[in-house]
Amino acid sequence: RNVLLEKRIDERTTELRVTNEDLKQEVYERRRAESELLTYKRHLEDEVRKQTNKLSTTVDDLKVQVKERERAEKKLLSYQEELRRLASELLVTEEKERRRMATYLHDTISQALAFCKMKLVTLKQEMQEVSSRSPSDSGGADSHRSGDVMPLIQEIDSMVKETIEHAQSLTFELS
């Protein structure tokens, strides 16, 4: 019976040795795997830290760009408002200048032309009166002179009339 017991003890001891060796191998592999995992974990943490820093830098850069863009947009809006104001001011100034020019045309040039026209009409009438008198009244010299001057007076009258019409048209367009 002892032999059988010893045999069983030897078998069991052999089994335990094999199991113990297997366990040692498993512990070794597990420690090696844990060591690799720890290395990977550290590496991964370093990569996460690096990427986080890069993202943080990128976010900071984007914030600066957004602020610069906002400043540029505000400046652009300010310029656009200034441009609108200047355009409005220009329109008002142009309108004032048109009115001033129309007033000048009316008050100065048109009135002077109208006065010239009246003087021409008076001159024309006087010339017609002189030419309608008998040649014996003036000795014939005035009659001859008035005949030469009448076409010239009519041409000047026509030009003054046309100039007055142009001045009136321009005055109307400007006002």
Side-chain angles (χ1 to χ4, degrees):
R1 201 167 199 259
N2 268 344
V3 173
L4 192 59
L5 191 56
E6 279 185 31
K7 187 177 176 184
R8 279 202 74 164
I9 290 177
D10 283 343
E11 287 175 358
R12 187 71 180 140
T13 301
T14 303
E15 277 179 28
L16 286 174
R17 270 192 208 126
V18 168
T19 303
N20 195 20
E21 285 302 315
D22 287 346
L23 283 174
K24 280 182 183 178
Q25 185 63 32
E26 280 183 39
V27 166
Y28 170 77
E29 287 177 16
R30 186 175 194 152
R31 284 185 182 159
R32 189 178 56 77
E34 285 176 355
S35 175
E36 282 182 23
L37 281 175
L38 186 59
T39 301
Y40 287 136
K41 179 183 173 193
R42 286 182 185 142
H43 177 73
L44 187 58
E45 286 174 346
D46 285 345
E47 284 300 312
V48 166
R49 209 173 1 266
K50 286 177 187 176
Q51 291 301 321
T52 300
N53 286 339
K54 282 182 181 178
L55 285 173
S56 178
T57 301
T58 301
V59 166
D60 290 344
D61 290 346
L62 287 173
K63 285 179 181 178
V64 168
Q65 288 176 6
V66 165
K67 285 181 182 179
E68 287 174 359
R69 187 173 188 162
E70 286 173 346
R71 277 194 299 270
E73 286 175 356
K74 284 180 183 178
K75 204 174 200 179
L76 179 62
L77 289 173
S78 173
Y79 287 154
Q80 287 174 340
E81 184 60 35
E82 179 70 8
L83 184 60
R84 275 192 285 277
R85 186 189 66 73
L86 288 173
S88 176
E89 189 176 311
L90 179 63
L91 287 174
V92 168
T93 302
E94 285 176 345
E95 185 61 31
K96 284 179 182 177
E97 188 60 21
R98 274 203 274 325
R99 283 188 194 132
R100 188 189 68 74
M101 289 174 65
T103 301
Y104 175 78
L105 275 172
H106 178 267
D107 292 349
T108 307
I109 296 172
S110 293
Q111 286 183 1
L113 286 170
F115 184 71
C116 287
K117 176 121 173 92
M118 289 187 309
K119 290 292 185 182
L120 276 172
V121 167
T122 303
L123 181 61
K124 186 177 176 183
Q125 288 171 351
E126 287 178 10
M127 293 300 290
Q128 285 173 347
E129 285 175 16
V130 167
S131 68
S132 67
R133 288 189 210 146
S134 68
S136 61
D137 293 345
S138 60
D142 287 341
S143 173
H144 179 64
R145 209 172 359 156
S146 68
D148 291 342
V149 176
M150 282 307 281
L152 185 58
I153 291 174
Q154 287 175 344
E155 184 182 346
I156 293 171
D157 184 44
S158 176
M159 289 172 59
V160 169
K161 181 180 178 186
E162 188 178 317
T163 306
I164 289 172
E165 288 172 0
H166 286 304
Q168 286 173 340
S169 174
L170 187 57
T171 301
F172 178 75
E173 287 178 27
L174 287 173
S175 56

